Amino acid sequence: MSLVPGPGRAQTTGSSLLEELQLVVEKHVQYIQSLDKRKDELEYWLTEHLRLNGVYWGLTALHLLGHPDALPREETVDFVLSCQHANGGFGAAPGHDAHMLYTVSAVQILVTVNALDDLDRRGKGGREGVGRYISHLQNQDDGSFAGDEWGETDTRFLFGALNALSLLRLRSLVDMSKAISYVQACANFDGGYGVSPGAESHAGQIFVCVGALSIAGRLDLVDQDRLGAWLSERQLDDGGLNGRPEKLEDVCYSWWVGSSLAIIGKSHWIDKDRLARFILRCQDRELGGIADRPGDIVDVFHTVFGIAGLSLFGFPGIEPVDPV
């Protein structure tokens, strides 16, 4: 799966209101299918460090669009397993270092295509080997998780660890109480959460922290009204959402903000119809794909999170998505 942007661009003018309100499902499916056929482009190789994530994004978009078989299953499973290391972790592509984020994507892909048995038969150490790799990245003092052996910590890695271990049914391998305490240490006065204790609130970090607390069954620790207010203030005049104050709207926050609101039961605190119109205006209706905002070049990252955002708010014709 290529992370090469384009070739299409979200339209800004020249379409009727009826056209703007339609999701061009078949065009998006074709766009995603085309991404691995662009190997003669320099950007294909410059984005190799995101290859496994890209497969997850494309596969998830296809499932939400009701086309789960649009990518070849066996080739997908073979590629994922080719990215695994002897320590159980996965890299972005064959030969790349293992990292938490790629390992999480690998688990999510294998679960999506019902291939955990393939992991047990053909993988390095089976699902238990993956679980051990993840658990060894937890800091036993404060409960945080590193991304890899070099020790960078980020609440994204903590959520990813709990997400993957939950899917593998191996949450008992980590200290959940310390992980919860670390998330709470990242809480801010405005109800949001940051990348680490003392860091500013950001919609992406809010999603991973609230998602982690949801997996742990501790949403009671969230100041839901205060957080809901902060999140609802992310909606701008054109209906799009930004990730923090004074920033531009971006389709990807349709997911990060929308899912966080859904988890705490505050989805009705934003205008879902205006958000849907914003997302649909970011489509390339001729070649498929979704951009960050109208007029910009499409890519698979914004395509999946735009579609997932529409799914969150019940847009017709899209499969329902779990906000966690």
Side-chain angles (χ1 to χ4, degrees):
M1 185 69 63
S2 170
L3 273 291
V4 179
R9 185 183 293 271
Q11 278 83 27
T12 55
T13 59
S15 59
S16 68
L17 177 60
L18 180 60
E19 288 176 324
E20 283 192 356
L21 295 178
Q22 293 179 340
L23 182 68
V24 290
V25 172
E26 295 300 329
K27 296 293 185 181
H28 295 319
V29 172
Q30 293 167 12
Y31 165 71
I32 294 168
Q33 290 176 318
S34 74
L35 289 174
D36 207 42
K37 301 175 183 178
R38 301 171 63 182
K39 297 180 181 179
D40 60 341
E41 299 181 34
L42 176 61
E43 290 89 345
Y44 181 92
W45 302 105
L46 293 179
T47 58
E48 189 177 51
H49 65 289
L50 293 171
R51 188 79 74 233
L52 197 55
N53 303 133
V55 173
Y56 171 67
W57 296 331
L59 184 68
T60 299
L62 291 170
H63 275 254
L64 292 176
L65 292 171
H67 291 262
D69 301 320
L71 293 181
R73 180 186 182 278
E74 296 307 314
E75 289 181 28
T76 300
V77 174
D78 289 345
F79 174 75
V80 172
L81 295 179
S82 73
C83 299
Q84 192 178 24
H85 288 250
N87 62 7
F90 291 78
H96 285 241
D97 291 344
H99 191 280
M100 177 73 78
L101 296 182
Y102 308 131
T103 301
V104 175
S105 287
V107 171
Q108 292 171 324
I109 293 166
L110 294 174
V111 169
T112 299
V113 300
N114 194 27
L116 286 182
D117 288 344
D118 293 83
L119 175 63
D120 288 333
R121 288 196 308 270
R122 300 161 50 198
K124 298 176 175 66
R127 66 190 79 187
E128 289 78 13
V130 179
R132 286 192 296 272
Y133 170 78
I134 293 172
S135 66
H136 289 162
L137 291 173
Q138 185 176 31
N139 184 315
Q140 296 305 308
D141 293 326
D142 64 11
S144 65
F145 282 81
D148 55 24
E149 61 185 299
W150 309 112
E152 178 192 7
T153 59
D154 188 315
T155 43
R156 292 178 302 156
F157 309 151
L158 187 151
F159 168 74
L162 300 192
N163 181 291
L165 291 174
S166 180
L167 292 171
L168 295 170
R169 302 186 185 278
L170 293 173
R171 290 194 317 178
S172 61
L173 294 179
V174 297
D175 191 324
M176 291 292 290
S177 62
K178 286 188 176 180
I180 293 167
S181 295
Y182 186 78
V183 171
Q184 281 304 96
C186 297
N188 291 320
F189 71 93
D190 53 17
Y193 297 83
V195 67
S196 59
E200 70 171 318
S201 296
H202 184 283
Q205 306 305 141
I206 288 170
F207 164 73
V208 296
C209 288
V210 173
L213 292 174
S214 178
I215 291 172
R218 293 306 311 271
L219 286 177
D220 59 293
L221 298 174
V222 180
D223 187 339
Q224 297 186 19
D225 285 347
R226 182 168 293 187
L227 176 58
W230 190 93
L231 290 168
S232 66
E233 290 173 353
R234 306 278 62 76
Q235 190 162 38
L236 303 181
D237 291 341
D238 62 1
L241 301 166
N242 63 17
R244 50 191 168 136
E246 303 301 323
K247 296 296 182 179
L248 293 175
E249 67 279 12
D250 188 314
V251 157
C252 69
Y253 293 112
S254 306
W255 172 255
W256 309 121
V257 174
S259 56
S260 299
L261 286 168
I263 292 170
I264 63 174
K266 307 292 185 187
S267 295
H268 58 293
W269 284 20
I270 62 172
D271 188 327
K272 68 176 183 179
D273 294 330
R274 287 201 300 134
L275 175 60
R277 286 195 292 271
F278 170 76
I279 297 171
L280 295 172
R281 288 198 303 273
C282 296
Q283 298 179 102
D284 180 340
R285 286 181 292 276
E286 296 179 359
L287 298 177
I290 298 176
D292 57 351
R293 58 187 63 90
D296 287 352
I297 295 176
V298 305
D299 59 67
V300 69
F301 176 87
H302 291 93
T303 298
V304 65
F305 290 121
I307 293 168
L310 292 172
S311 175
L312 277 172
F313 293 95
F315 192 85
I318 302 181
E319 297 295 320
V321 66
D322 188 319
V324 179

